[in-house]
Amino acid sequence: MIQGDDDARDGFPYGDPSPVQVRKPVPTPVSSGDFAGIVRQQQGMVFSIALHFLRDRQAAEEIAQDVFLHLYQHLDSLKSPEHVTFWLRKVTSHRCIDFARRRKWSQVSLDDVPELPAVSTARDPLLQRKLRRLVASLPETARAVVILRYQEDLTPTEIAEVLTMPVATVKSHLQRSLAMLREKVVRVIGDARV
């Protein structure tokens, strides 16, 4: 210790530590070199949202390609990996809604769509198939809200951000959608407590 230094007399050789400045971690920007890794990491999520929403494998692949092309064009504006995931969910949901509104097409049977390889917690595959059909019969926005909530496990606040709507509207869509699904379950399956 240096005897003549004022800070050293207080026992702090490099100054008073009381004005501590906490630095927030700066999100690492996403670069175009990360694009292939982002596609590998996020393609399952993007395709799954599109497939569950549109119930058409070719349309889901088309939407996924379009979303990743759009991502490549806007990659420099995204701030972090979390922002990329949020952005992908938002763009995919909006593209699916737009696609469904633009295209007037006949319903594709879910029996014709191959199952995605995933771990299923449902015990009854017939019940699961019927529930998927019932969810598919919901209006576009309500279907998007239900898929984002129960497939992607997003909170109502996160869904509101993704679909750019108020949280109260998301909760309202969820409540109405679940009520519609309950009615349909009772009609199709019988008096079951869902």
Side-chain angles (χ1 to χ4, degrees):
M1 274 174 86
I2 302 172
Q3 293 295 334
D5 194 2
D6 289 336
D7 290 333
R9 273 185 266 137
D10 294 335
F12 303 111
Y14 299 107
D16 183 13
S18 58
V20 175
Q21 295 181 4
V22 178
R23 291 186 178 171
K24 293 182 180 179
V26 178
T28 54
V30 182
S31 69
S32 58
D34 299 337
F35 182 72
I38 292 170
V39 171
R40 272 192 303 278
Q41 185 179 14
Q42 302 291 345
Q43 66 186 354
M45 183 223 13
V46 169
F47 179 73
S48 179
I49 291 172
L51 181 63
H52 281 88
F53 187 88
L54 298 171
R55 302 174 317 273
D56 180 352
R57 187 173 204 81
Q58 281 184 313
E61 289 173 356
E62 193 176 309
I63 293 290
Q65 285 181 351
D66 186 43
V67 166
F68 283 115
L69 175 65
H70 197 66
L71 172 67
Y72 185 76
Q73 294 167 343
H74 292 87
L75 197 57
D76 294 335
S77 66
L78 301 176
K79 297 176 177 78
S80 68
E82 293 80 17
H83 189 204
V84 170
T85 302
F86 168 80
W87 188 92
L88 285 170
R89 283 183 177 138
K90 181 175 184 168
V91 171
T92 303
S93 298
H94 284 282
R95 293 286 164 99
C96 288
I97 291 170
D98 291 345
F99 188 88
R101 286 180 182 162
R102 259 194 331 264
R103 184 173 167 196
K104 301 294 180 200
W105 46 291
S106 63
Q107 293 287 332
V108 174
S109 171
L110 286 178
D111 296 329
D112 298 337
V113 178
E115 282 292 317
L116 292 175
V119 178
S120 176
T121 58
R123 303 267 187 239
D124 186 356
L126 295 175
L127 178 63
Q128 186 178 14
R129 187 177 308 138
K130 285 183 181 185
L131 287 174
R132 265 190 267 125
R133 285 184 186 147
L134 293 174
V135 169
S137 70
L138 293 172
E140 287 92 6
T141 305
R143 188 177 343 137
V145 169
V146 168
I147 289 171
L148 290 173
R149 176 68 182 110
Y150 296 105
Q151 177 192 323
E152 292 298 312
D153 202 30
L154 298 181
T155 66
T157 305
E158 293 169 329
I159 295 169
E161 291 174 12
V162 167
L163 297 177
T164 57
M165 62 175 57
V167 176
T169 304
V170 169
K171 290 179 180 180
S172 171
H173 276 296
L174 278 172
Q175 203 170 32
R176 280 193 304 249
S177 299
L178 291 176
M180 282 191 283
L181 288 172
R182 278 187 198 100
E183 285 178 23
K184 291 178 181 193
V185 164
V186 168
R187 265 187 278 137
V188 172
I189 298 173
D191 189 18
R193 298 289 171 208
V194 178

